[in-house]
Amino acid sequence: QVQWVESGGGLVQAGKSLRLSCTASGFIFDTYAIAWFRQAPGKNREGVAYINNYDGRTQYLDSVKGRFTISKDNAKNTVYLQIQGLEAEDTAVYYCAAAQLIHLSLVTQYLYTHLYGHWGQGTQVTVSS
């Protein structure tokens, strides 16, 4: 079964950078799509970044383009989210999620929560002033 280990969250000053990671086990990593979602206090969970682990294609939430970068290391079964220029609104619990690529074959927009059936436990990112 799919299992995630998430790390990298913490308390960071606004304007600084942070890298989050998820390391996966229990599935063939490069046959899955991976996405990062976040949920801020009082808000719905939203997708921020997506990567196809097979071909490397990515997709980002418009509001984070230019600051967030998703990347992967298939050999390590790990996906990363690099966040630059942290802002107060980035404060949230960040989750990685996985979906089998074969289940996304007819999809063109990949940042919808319902597409993902395997979720990590979340890691807290808190941006301080």
Side-chain angles (χ1 to χ4, degrees):
Q1 60 196 53
V2 175
Q3 185 171 328
W4 290 106
V5 178
E6 297 174 308
S7 63
L11 177 63
V12 186
Q13 285 188 305
K16 301 297 183 180
S17 299
L18 194 66
R19 189 176 76 162
L20 310 180
S21 65
C22 275
T23 299
S25 62
F27 59 94
I28 302 172
F29 191 67
D30 62 2
T31 68
Y32 277 72
I34 308 294
W36 284 96
F37 291 78
R38 67 184 181 186
Q39 188 161 22
K43 296 184 178 181
N44 293 327
R45 191 170 298 182
E46 63 179 352
V48 297
Y50 155 89
I51 189 164
N52 182 315
N53 284 355
Y54 181 74
D55 62 20
R57 286 183 289 180
T58 60
Q59 190 175 95
Y60 294 94
L61 182 69
D62 285 345
S63 63
V64 306
K65 287 180 180 178
R67 296 195 302 112
F68 285 34
T69 303
I70 189 169
S71 61
K72 64 183 179 67
D73 186 337
N74 286 9
K76 297 180 179 179
N77 285 0
T78 298
V79 63
Y80 304 95
L81 184 68
Q82 180 73 33
I83 307 173
Q84 307 284 353
L86 282 159
E87 303 173 354
E89 57 265 34
D90 296 323
T91 294
V93 178
Y94 284 73
Y95 301 88
C96 48
Q100 288 184 295
L101 286 168
I102 59 173
H103 295 160
L104 301 180
S105 60
L106 300 179
V107 175
T108 58
Q109 300 295 324
Y110 300 97
L111 297 178
Y112 297 113
T113 305
H114 73 269
L115 297 174
Y116 297 88
H118 306 286
W119 294 82
Q121 80 287 351
T123 185
Q124 176 71 49
V125 173
T126 302
V127 182
S128 63
S129 60

